[in-house]
Amino acid sequence: LRPRSGLSLTLNGSVSESHTTQAFRDSSGAELQPGQELPGSSHLQYTAGANYLRPLGWNFRGGPNLGYTWLGHGWNDLDHDIQINGYGNLRAGFFFERAFSDVTARLAINGSNLLNQTRPTAGANNKAVLTQAPVYQYTLNPPREISVRVGFDF
């Protein structure tokens, strides 16, 4: 099977084993045992992508791109109060380029988080100063985004 000219395929992945090695007390006084997963670490993450760039005729080149990234679940702190991450990001786009006599013009249209998944990427739980009621704060991954880029090489 011969690969298609102009086709680029990528696959990257990682497995992380990050955990405590000794028992200790955290800032709230809780006893943590060895083996507790460290905050912010995702056990598994991977990304896959495909790009296809071809001549399109009349001095045009272009092609589609497609990619997916998975960021595995993790925790906000050593007590594992808030689960973070655990989402995928589907990306896709199209690229056009045309060479003129003195300039090359480019146009790229791309979308990110096309499945519009929303998950916390960071979190904290605290207490309100006056009432001591629990207060949870989250940072979320970016929403679906569509971008258009135009460029010129002189």
Side-chain angles (χ1 to χ4, degrees):
L1 180 66
R2 179 188 149 111
R4 191 92 170 127
S5 178
L7 178 64
S8 171
L9 302 174
T10 60
L11 181 61
N12 297 296
S14 68
V15 175
S16 174
E17 291 292 334
S18 55
H19 55 273
T20 59
T21 57
Q22 297 178 12
F24 67 95
R25 291 197 183 281
D26 69 4
S27 60
S28 67
E31 175 93 18
L32 298 173
Q33 297 304 315
Q36 190 78 355
E37 188 177 354
L38 292 176
S41 63
S42 296
H43 177 67
L44 176 66
Q45 49 192 339
Y46 66 86
T47 186
N51 294 297
Y52 187 50
L53 183 61
R54 297 290 299 160
L56 302 174
W58 299 290
N59 265 352
F60 278 97
R61 288 186 342 149
N65 64 73
L66 181 66
Y68 184 80
T69 299
W70 170 258
L71 183 57
H73 294 283
W75 298 97
N76 70 315
D77 61 15
L78 286 168
D79 292 327
H80 293 185
D81 291 329
I82 299 170
Q83 191 177 53
I84 61 172
N85 299 325
Y87 67 94
N89 180 2
L90 178 65
R91 302 170 313 282
F94 205 88
F95 170 80
F96 287 106
E97 174 181 85
R98 185 170 194 289
F100 296 94
S101 59
D102 293 354
V103 66
T104 300
R106 291 187 178 89
L107 171 67
I109 301 169
N110 293 289
S112 182
N113 194 8
L114 296 177
L115 301 177
N116 207 24
Q117 293 187 345
T118 303
R119 293 281 301 157
T121 58
N125 82 18
N126 298 300
K127 290 186 178 184
V129 174
L130 296 177
T131 64
Q132 293 299 298
V135 175
Y136 294 91
Q137 299 171 318
Y138 300 95
T139 302
L140 303 176
N141 62 303
R144 180 182 299 133
E145 298 175 326
I146 305 296
S147 65
V148 176
R149 290 180 303 172
V150 176
F152 299 94
D153 288 347
F154 299 97

